[in-house]
Amino acid sequence: MILALIKFFGGKLDKRNRWDYVRKILYTRFVIAALVTCIIYGVFYLTIDQRHIALFMAGLFVGFTILFWSLFRTRHMLTVFRLSILLSYIGFMYNISITGGIHSSTVPQLAIVPGLSLFYSVKVDIYSFLSLTVLSLLGFIAIDLAGIDLPSVIANKDMLLFDAISHVYIYTSVIYFIVVFRSEVVRSNKSLKKSLAKQKETTQMLIQTEKLASIGQLTAGIAHEINNPVNFLQAGAIQLDRGVKDILEIEKRRELGDQNIRKAMEVGDIEELTEAIGANRREMDRVKRDMEFDYVRKEVKELLASIKHGARRTSEIVRGLSNYSRMSDSVFKPFDIKETIESTVTLLLNARKDNVKITKRYEDTPLVQGNASKIGQVVMNLITNAVQAMSGEGEMTIGTKYLANGKMVEVSVRDTGDGIHKKDQSAIFDPFFTTKEVGEGTGLGLSIAKGIIEEHEGKLYFETKQKEGTVFYIELPIADKVIIN
Amino acid sequence: MKNSGDLYRVLYVDDEFYNLVTFKAVFRKKFDILTASSGEEALPLLGERKIDLVITDFKMPKMTGLELLKKVKEKYPGIPGIVLTGYVDSVVKSKKRPDTLVQVVSKPWEEDNLAGVIRNALKSAS
């Protein structure tokens, strides 16, 4: 029966298992608190009525035993609390049945609590505890006003037993309230810290994803880009091989012809010599015609040029790559912004044969102070955004300018897209803000870009006109300006 | 020049100069190769002489390979077409493919493979 009762109270109550944290503290403290209250109450009753102290203590003992047992069985403080409510309720009912009326101080409280205990939430428990405290105070006041003599009430020994048990409820509530409140606070702190840490982790992961996405973009561009030179290098080399073989074949025939001429010279016969020279010449002409010698000569030149071109293109790509491999280097050094832009453009735009016309307007600029690969990442982001804004078709203008008064170098990326909507303008540098489809962009590009530029003590801003296009401006301090990193 | 009367005439279109160079160098002994660096340049060539096959790069500025083949089909419906591209999937799935497109070949191409594809295309047309 008790088990069933415990199950009834404890069944749905493990939404929050406070036992984990509370156990160590609760176990010893609960036991100590219970013992202490027993002693205090015992002493109190000792002063009032020595005869019935044993009975009262027995009542307390029984009450606490049941509660301890349920605590250890179910490990739910809440179960104990509920159980103590039940015990108090039984006490209350018995009180009424015996005395025919309301005499115990716990009566007013108990009238409300069982009803409240139907709700399974900490808030309700706290409210119910507070309400019972208030009501018990009222109860005491009422008893006082009514002039009821406490000792006479206590004298009824049957009632005393149940009264004692019901008092257990109050003590349990106090301990419960304190312990639970504390654990709640600790738990919320813990979970807050946990969620903060998780959020940080997620943000880091997204930044990482964004970085990887840009590296992924680069890689795709590189792979595609390398395909072309590989083609001419390979085909060029093979054809060159054949062309050279043809030329060597001609050389071989010439050599043979030469041998005939030499033989004729040895013999000394002019006619034979003339014949041999003539035959050789005719043979050479024929062979050259068959092999299209003139054409082969031209072709060999072209193939060599294509191989050189392929090799050059490939080394450009590799050079551009090595710029990005030093991403993690956070040392600030002077560098040429034009070089950085050029390598980014090479990597990104050669692979894309969209209908994007690129115009470059580079003015003479001094060296800039900062991290070349990070600025390269920013430029890459701006260029990618520009191409996307134009849906792959339009004109992009990239410019550099020296701003003498502020001692800054200005980089501009202009596109002929639709411009940025007024409603999006203020949010454009916010993290996770994007107007692209889900999965197409994390929306972190510009916010990371802004972070990098701020790190460089520069400026990142834009000008836009609907249907005409947008310009993004980067301003970076020149290397002469001293930056304390 | 050698008499190219008995060789099939193939028109190769690509916006990369060196691709034209290498393609011609590899195949000139097998076929009579004509080259053009854009769709606009290629179309008038079809009017000048009888062309047996058009091979084109896909991604070109102004007129893509598929658009070119479509125009070829309009004027000269019997000429088969081959597209060379790094984006095989998007070309194959494209709705703009004319039915004269016989095959899509991925770049970088390999001589023997491409020669076979060209021969098949020429056979199927004639």
Side-chain angles (χ1 to χ4, degrees):
Chain A
M1 227 282 268
I2 301 269
L3 257 173
L5 280 171
I6 291 169
K7 272 218 178 101
F8 174 68
F9 281 102
K12 294 185 205 168
L13 301 176
D14 47 359
K15 253 195 251 178
R16 278 172 273 199
N17 189 351
R18 300 181 180 89
W19 183 258
D20 308 326
Y21 171 74
V22 155
R23 184 166 44 139
K24 279 187 207 154
I25 299 171
L26 179 64
Y27 183 74
T28 30
R29 289 184 193 184
F30 187 82
V31 172
I32 292 168
L35 284 171
V36 165
T37 45
C38 281
I39 292 165
I40 292 173
Y41 219 107
V43 165
F44 173 63
Y45 269 89
L46 210 63
T47 60
I48 297 171
D49 188 346
Q50 282 180 311
R51 292 172 298 149
H52 298 293
I53 180 64
L55 202 58
F56 189 76
M57 290 299 283
L60 283 181
F61 181 74
V62 165
F64 276 123
T65 308
I66 294 171
L67 290 180
F68 282 142
W69 185 68
S70 75
L71 190 68
F72 302 144
R73 275 291 298 223
T74 64
R75 298 177 172 209
H76 282 136
M77 193 47 185
L78 207 48
T79 316
V80 172
F81 186 56
R82 310 288 185 191
L83 199 61
S84 70
I85 294 171
L86 178 68
L87 289 174
S88 317
Y89 202 60
I90 295 170
F92 164 58
M93 296 318 282
Y94 193 71
N95 252 327
I96 294 179
S97 68
I98 289 181
T99 59
I102 299 164
H103 291 284
S104 168
S105 57
T106 56
V107 160
Q109 317 144 334
L110 296 174
I112 298 179
V113 168
L116 287 177
S117 72
L118 289 172
F119 298 97
Y120 304 127
S121 76
V122 179
K123 258 196 195 148
V124 174
D125 291 343
I126 291 174
Y127 288 146
S128 64
F129 173 74
L130 286 172
S131 68
L132 75 87
T133 314
V134 166
L135 288 168
S136 59
L137 279 172
L138 289 174
F140 277 118
I141 295 168
I143 289 166
D144 205 29
L145 289 173
I148 294 169
D149 197 8
L150 263 176
S152 62
V153 159
I154 294 164
N156 184 331
K157 59 177 186 200
D158 292 318
M159 201 185 75
L160 195 63
L161 186 72
F162 283 96
D163 205 29
I165 293 173
S166 69
H167 276 80
V168 166
Y169 167 69
I170 300 169
Y171 310 135
T172 323
S173 319
V174 173
I175 298 162
Y176 172 75
F177 177 71
I178 294 167
V179 163
V180 160
F181 186 72
R182 265 193 67 161
S183 75
E184 271 300 299
V185 170
V186 170
R187 218 176 50 84
S188 357
N189 258 349
K190 248 187 171 184
S191 74
L192 195 68
K193 271 195 200 154
K194 225 180 173 183
S195 68
L196 271 172
K198 191 132 198 242
Q199 197 182 48
K200 217 181 175 184
E201 201 188 298
T202 311
T203 315
Q204 286 292 82
M205 251 169 50
L206 277 163
I207 292 177
Q208 199 57 23
T209 307
E210 178 74 16
K211 275 197 190 157
L212 286 172
S214 32
I215 294 173
Q217 234 182 356
L218 258 171
T219 315
I222 292 164
H224 197 82
E225 182 65 3
I226 286 184
N227 259 347
N228 260 343
V230 157
N231 214 3
F232 356 114
L233 285 171
Q234 199 176 32
I238 291 172
Q239 281 314 106
L240 204 52
D241 189 30
R242 289 186 192 151
V244 167
K245 277 204 180 88
D246 285 352
I247 293 174
L248 289 174
E249 181 65 27
I250 291 171
E251 178 59 25
K252 205 166 67 170
R253 299 284 175 91
R254 196 190 59 76
E255 181 62 31
L256 276 170
D258 263 1
Q259 280 180 3
N260 287 339
I261 292 171
R262 251 179 264 126
K263 268 195 206 133
M265 278 170 70
E266 274 165 24
V267 166
D269 192 325
I270 303 281
E271 267 174 41
E272 243 186 74
L273 183 61
T274 318
E275 178 65 38
I277 292 172
N280 184 34
R281 187 172 293 155
R282 278 194 301 275
E283 171 75 4
M284 290 308 293
D285 282 345
R286 187 188 67 85
V287 166
K288 282 189 185 177
R289 226 183 11 249
D290 283 347
M291 287 185 177
E292 301 171 87
F293 184 65
D294 290 333
Y295 184 76
V296 170
R297 259 209 306 230
K298 180 172 79 104
E299 193 180 72
V300 161
K301 274 204 194 122
E302 281 181 345
L303 289 170
L304 282 168
S306 74
I307 289 173
K308 268 199 261 183
H309 177 83
R312 205 188 327 127
R313 187 78 87 74
T314 312
S315 75
E316 261 174 27
I317 295 166
V318 172
R319 228 184 305 132
L321 249 181
S322 60
N323 268 342
Y324 284 89
S325 70
R326 280 183 263 112
M327 274 274 210
S328 52
D329 191 2
S330 49
V331 175
F332 276 27
K333 295 194 265 259
F335 67 96
D336 183 357
I337 192 77
K338 195 177 127 195
E339 240 177 63
T340 306
I341 299 174
E342 278 297 294
S343 60
T344 312
V345 169
T346 308
L347 280 167
L348 270 189
L349 291 175
N350 281 340
R352 313 180 68 108
K353 282 194 263 178
D354 327 79
N355 290 332
V356 172
K357 179 164 175 255
I358 309 150
T359 312
K360 297 178 196 166
R361 293 222 172 92
Y362 300 141
E363 290 177 13
D364 273 329
T365 52
L367 295 181
V368 176
Q369 183 78 6
N371 181 315
S373 54
K374 280 191 176 176
I375 298 297
Q377 192 185 356
V378 173
V379 172
M380 183 162 78
N381 183 259
L382 295 183
I383 292 178
T384 312
N385 285 351
V387 171
Q388 280 166 346
M390 299 190 282
S391 312
E393 212 168 304
E395 189 174 326
M396 186 186 327
T397 313
I398 304 174
T400 61
K401 206 196 293 186
Y402 176 49
L403 306 172
N405 6 355
K407 285 204 171 178
M408 306 280 260
V409 168
E410 178 197 271
V411 176
S412 57
V413 177
R414 180 188 291 272
D415 67 62
T416 55
D418 287 331
I420 304 171
H421 276 291
K422 210 162 185 184
K423 62 176 168 70
D424 296 331
Q425 281 180 26
S426 56
I428 204 147
F429 292 113
D430 290 349
F432 307 114
F433 174 78
T434 180
T435 53
K436 298 181 202 160
E437 290 296 317
V438 170
E440 274 185 24
T442 54
L444 281 175
L446 275 176
S447 74
I448 291 178
K450 191 153 191 142
I452 292 174
I453 299 296
E454 279 169 6
E455 212 184 352
H456 283 70
E457 302 204 11
K459 291 194 205 142
L460 176 61
Y461 56 96
F462 65 92
E463 277 169 15
T464 185
K465 221 168 182 184
Q466 299 300 320
K467 304 261 167 80
E468 275 186 34
T470 311
V471 195
F472 269 86
Y473 294 99
I474 303 172
E475 278 180 32
L476 293 167
I478 63 174
D480 278 354
K481 259 189 173 175
V482 173
I483 297 174
I484 297 157
N485 230 10
Chain B
M1 278 282 284
K2 191 176 180 177
N3 178 24
S4 47
D6 49 356
L7 288 180
Y8 283 111
R9 203 169 281 127
V10 174
L11 173 59
Y12 178 60
V13 187
D14 196 318
D15 60 324
E16 274 266 19
F17 175 69
Y18 289 112
N19 281 344
L20 298 174
V21 165
T22 44
F23 185 89
K24 189 162 182 178
V26 170
F27 290 108
R28 67 174 171 85
K29 289 200 174 144
K30 299 193 171 96
F31 312 102
D32 180 12
I33 308 286
L34 297 175
T35 59
S37 49
S38 70
E40 288 94 344
E41 223 184 274
L43 287 167
L45 292 177
L46 288 153
E48 288 171 19
R49 280 190 276 183
K50 180 180 186 294
I51 302 240
D52 301 304
L53 171 71
V54 176
I55 304 183
T56 170
D57 181 30
F58 172 60
K59 260 216 165 173
M60 295 189 289
K62 296 212 184 96
M63 194 192 301
T64 71
L66 283 181
E67 286 166 7
L68 171 61
L69 288 182
K70 234 180 163 184
K71 291 216 167 103
V72 167
K73 183 187 170 181
E74 283 167 24
K75 281 190 158 175
Y76 314 94
I79 304 180
I82 292 174
V83 168
L84 298 179
T85 178
Y87 310 93
V88 175
D89 284 334
S90 60
V91 173
V92 167
K93 288 180 192 155
S94 168
K95 297 200 178 117
K96 294 189 188 156
R97 311 174 39 166
D99 55 12
T100 49
L101 172 58
V102 171
Q103 190 135 346
V104 180
V105 177
S106 77
K107 282 212 246 182
W109 45 264
E110 206 238 331
E111 186 189 338
D112 292 331
N113 178 42
L114 189 51
V117 169
I118 293 173
R119 286 213 184 87
N120 283 341
L122 289 166
K123 263 190 212 130
S124 66
S126 55

